[in-house]
Amino acid sequence: MAPRRAEEVPVKRVAALGCKLPQQLPAGEILTDITQKKWKLGGAIGYGGFGDIYLASDNLNTSVGQDAKYVIKIEPHNNGPLFVEMNFYIRAARRDMIDSWCKSQDKRRVGVPSYEGSGSHVYRDQRFRFLVIPRYGIDIGKFFLSQNRKLSTKLVNNLAIQMLDALEYIHSRGYAHADVKGSNILLALQGQNGGKENTKAYLVDYGLAYRFRTASGMHKPFVHDERRAHEGTLEFTSRDAHHGTHSRRGDLETLGYNILQWLCGRLPWENENGGMSLTANPDDVHSQKDLLFSDVTAFIKSCFPHKKNPPTSLVDYMKYIADLGFETKPNYSYLRGLFQNVSYQETNVPTFLFNMDESNENISCAKSYKRPNLRERRPCRPVNGEIRITRNTHPIVPKKEKYFSWEAVLARHPDKLAKVSIQAPPSPLTPPPSPPPQFLVPSPPSQPTYAMLHVLRRIKEKQSGMIKHRSSKSSDSELKPKWMTPAMEEIAQLKKKAQEANTTNSNTTRLTRSRVAFLKRKANEKSFPEEETNSAYSRSIKKRKLLPSIAANLNVYIKQKKLLSRLKNAV
């Protein structure tokens, strides 16, 4: 029996940890995306730990061949990476977005695939999620292995410039790729029949895309997340990704590791034949990467033992990343300028990969020079907070005539109308709002709703005294605070009676506890002789051991009472 070809040998599919592999769909299956556009499946061309990749076509009348223009990634609904990738393409990689950015930056193209379609599909009671993107050729990882793990300097510089363009676009949309590596960089096909590859490279696979900007446009702070620590491919993981967070600096650092591998053959923390062992400790790899950035020049020299001088562009690139802040916007123009001037060319790579007419289409003709420490000029008009546009590159936008329609106004929600049109008048009694923290960007204040306006109106009426208090039945209820308990009310009434007694008798002494108790006992007794009262009161003073001053005051009070009774009898 003749041996089977490599294409006929079945590939062993291994699912990623915690994920399920989907059932293989038959060729000719029709899928409908969210825009009701239909796609026809072809044969499977790739298998991963999360799903499969199929050839696809939008022409339903013919079978899908090897010249298909599109591919479809399919995963079960329970898996997560394709869901993240679909959200990235819908929010940041639609064709109109890419075209407008290229036009504003005066570029012909950028190496980011365009979104073609996505949706859900049910096959044999199993639900799938799918994504449609353009089809590309061989990836740089396979090409790197086919060239004995070494690429030419000219090709590496060409790839670095295109990947910097792609990362600049991704970062302008508020995302970080978080998994830049050779197997995720694909070369475009030349012609419809699968001809030779050219140097148009595209950055794919956004299953780990990280949104480093919040909805308000702020950069997320650096926070160590143990759940996402060491995320990505270990040999290319950035120092920030080892802590579980991502930023623009991390993507540039990951690209630097790829450039170093393409030029010298392997990274210092890889095996001798390349790749990482299954027992590699991520913390040890992280420490080696920290050592690299502690002395960039010495470390890169050790990676090129057979060369007198390592590539200057790579050394300057790594030094720039070592000094770059976590939330700082990189100077992409300076970094591209490091790889534009190529001094020598190796001849161990096919010559069709060095078509500089296609690779340098995004490079300006002006001579590049290094100015890393100079402050950038402010843009005349910012676009999306990321793009710098000068006066000469402003797109000419025709003026649109204003059209007013009552139907559009009345169709809006009443609360939204109130937020725009109704504003509370400024009041001198209300304090000014507190300033925001220094690390926050001041956001525009929200407009009040109907309920908020009602509360503000009531507060102002109370402050101006326009609200009339309800009339109470007695004067005591008007003076009585609402927070007093019954016991406190009784004490307040006793104090009020004592104050009235003090006003009638100016010579009377102040009330004490013993005096109040004595008055209560006297009121309860209907007939109480004056002498007994004096003797009882004197006994109570002795028993309670009152101070001599209190006893003297009480004696004076008794004498005054006797005088008052004699005057009444005389009258």
Side-chain angles (χ1 to χ4, degrees), residues 14 73 84 115 135 147 187 252 342 367 382 437 447 482:
V14 180
K73 301 179 71 173
V84 176
Y115 170 78
R135 182 191 176 191
Q147 298 299 320
L187 297 176
L252 297 178
V342 182
K367 184 178 179 180
Q447 301 295 335
K482 296 181 180 180

Side-chain angles (χ1 to χ4, degrees), residues 264 300-308:
C264 68
I300 293 183
K301 279 185 179 180
S302 64
C303 297
F304 296 89
H306 303 294
K307 290 185 179 181
K308 184 177 181 181

